[in-house]
Amino acid sequence: DSLLTKLSSSELPLHPVMRLDRETSGLLIIAKNGYVHNAMKAANIKKKYLAAVYGIYNPSEGTINAAIRRRPNSIMIRDICPDSDPEGHPSITHYKTLIVNENNNTSLMEFTLETGRCHQIRVHSLSKGHPLIGDGLYGPNSVDNPSDNFENSLELDAIVGRQCLHAYSLKFYHPILNKEMSFISDLPQDIRRVFPDFDINSVG
């Protein structure tokens, strides 16, 4: 099952212009026909995400430039790799710290994608020692990437119940209307629970 199958019908087959991981909330673009889907290649899509992560980034903002490849013998898992790896794909993520919650050693981050690799934010943040809260593939309580660095991880993962990643900002040039479109999706309540004493509405 997927969002696309829920929205599509035999009379109106839809065309995904972009994708989100299954547990990621927020904005995405779906074209109603193949013509618009093809025209969206020139739409200059700009995406920003909010994520709740373990730990505190130092420096608080910067760029992660690390190639990503599929982990050998795994269908889903990705890893960073040397740029010289023939299986790797160049991947660039810009990050900025918006909130630091020292009470539970977590941070609310803004990630801006320059490339769009599978699991890019999740893999890049993990590579910096800051897995996403609730991430079943890359988090400290996962089978494939376990870690005992975060003593409160079981409690925090249970608070949200999914990976704390939300596509909150989307801008693109509309190929039919010939103008820039801009959309914002507020941070969902489940991720807000990680930062109960902070004014989430002031960030972003």
Side-chain angles (χ1 to χ4, degrees), residues 4 11-12 116-117 159 182 193 198:
L4 196 64
E11 294 78 21
L12 184 64
R117 309 303 179 193
I159 286 177
S182 180
R193 289 197 289 267
F198 294 85

Side-chain angles (χ1 to χ4, degrees), residues 125-155:
S125 196
L126 173 64
S127 74
K128 291 297 184 181
H130 304 293
L132 271 62
I133 295 170
D135 194 331
L137 287 179
Y138 302 99
N141 300 306
S142 65
V143 173
D144 297 284
N145 295 280
S147 170
D148 57 4
N149 291 335
F150 308 100
E151 59 182 18
N152 59 344
S153 63
L154 284 172
E155 176 186 353

Side-chain angles (χ1 to χ4, degrees), residues 10 12-13 20 38 40 51-53 58 61 65 82 94 97 111 116 123 126 133-134 138 141 162 178 184 195 197 199:
S10 57
L12 184 64
L20 294 177
N38 185 65
M40 287 296 295
V53 307
N58 184 20
E61 60 182 289
N65 188 345
H94 307 286
T97 303
F111 291 103
V123 173
L126 173 64
I133 295 170
Y138 302 99
N141 300 306
R162 67 174 177 99
N178 294 317
I184 294 290
F195 309 95
D197 301 320
D199 180 12

